Amino acid sequence: MALELDFDPGIAWIGGEPLELRWRGARGKRRWRPDFMVRTVSGTGHAVVVAPDKDDGPQWRENLEVLDEVAPASGWRIPVHHVPAKMRLENLELAGEYRKPVPVPAEEQEALEAAFCRERPMQRERWHVACRRGLLWIWRTGW
């Protein structure tokens, strides 16, 4: 589900289980963490919950009732998502493999930071950095 959210252009920030709701229910003290909190590019907060695969029993319904009660006071929306399946899930997992940061040696990072510390047209900067330092990896990263 995190990959699905990550590829959504309308989402600016994702946090996994950053808050915990606590209350006293019919069966005593309860606590629950929504799966994700997200902030959209328009600034709206969402408490994202992922529906269970099989059983959406009484505990699940109580959790959603509590969240429904808390959300309006906090200004959150509560989208309930389902884990992507089949080809969608396979494609997200495949694409997700390429979204990992690539380690860069310290001297190359310093050279890039020095080259990009002032404004220049991007095409000129690409050529300047790649030629001067042999940083051909910059072309592979889509710059």
Side-chain angles (χ1 to χ4, degrees), residues 42-96:
S42 66
T44 307
H46 292 221
V48 177
V49 293
V50 180
D53 289 338
K54 297 177 183 169
D55 181 26
D56 61 346
Q59 185 173 346
W60 165 254
R61 286 191 295 277
E62 182 181 348
N63 291 348
L64 285 182
E65 286 171 12
V66 168
L67 191 53
D68 281 339
E69 221 175 284
V70 171
S74 304
W76 302 335
R77 293 200 176 121
I78 311 164
V80 176
H81 290 268
H82 296 273
V83 174
K86 300 180 182 175
M87 188 60 70
R88 175 76 178 159
L89 181 59
E90 289 179 31
N91 286 336
L92 284 168
E93 289 173 342
L94 178 65

Side-chain angles (χ1 to χ4, degrees), residues 4 11-13 15 19-20 30 32-33 44 48 50 54-55 58 62 70 82 84 90-91 98 105-106 135 139:
E4 184 82 39
I11 294 178
W13 176 86
L19 71 99
E20 182 173 86
R30 294 286 317 279
W32 182 56
R33 292 183 181 126
T44 307
V48 177
V50 180
K54 297 177 183 169
D55 181 26
E62 182 181 348
V70 171
H82 296 273
E90 289 179 31
N91 286 336
Y98 294 97
L135 302 177
W139 295 102

Side-chain angles (χ1 to χ4, degrees), residues 90-139:
E90 289 179 31
N91 286 336
L92 284 168
E93 289 173 342
L94 178 65
E97 287 296 314
Y98 294 97
R99 293 181 70 85
K100 296 178 182 169
V102 177
V104 178
E107 69 179 31
E108 290 181 11
Q109 182 172 341
E110 289 170 13
L112 279 173
E113 288 173 359
F116 285 94
C117 69
R118 63 185 186 284
E119 288 187 29
R120 291 185 183 180
M122 187 54 107
Q123 291 292 359
R124 183 172 158 219
E125 194 62 42
R126 268 195 220 168
W127 181 252
H128 175 75
V129 172
C131 291
R132 189 182 78 198
R133 301 288 296 162
L135 302 177
L136 298 178
W137 67 269
I138 199 168
W139 295 102

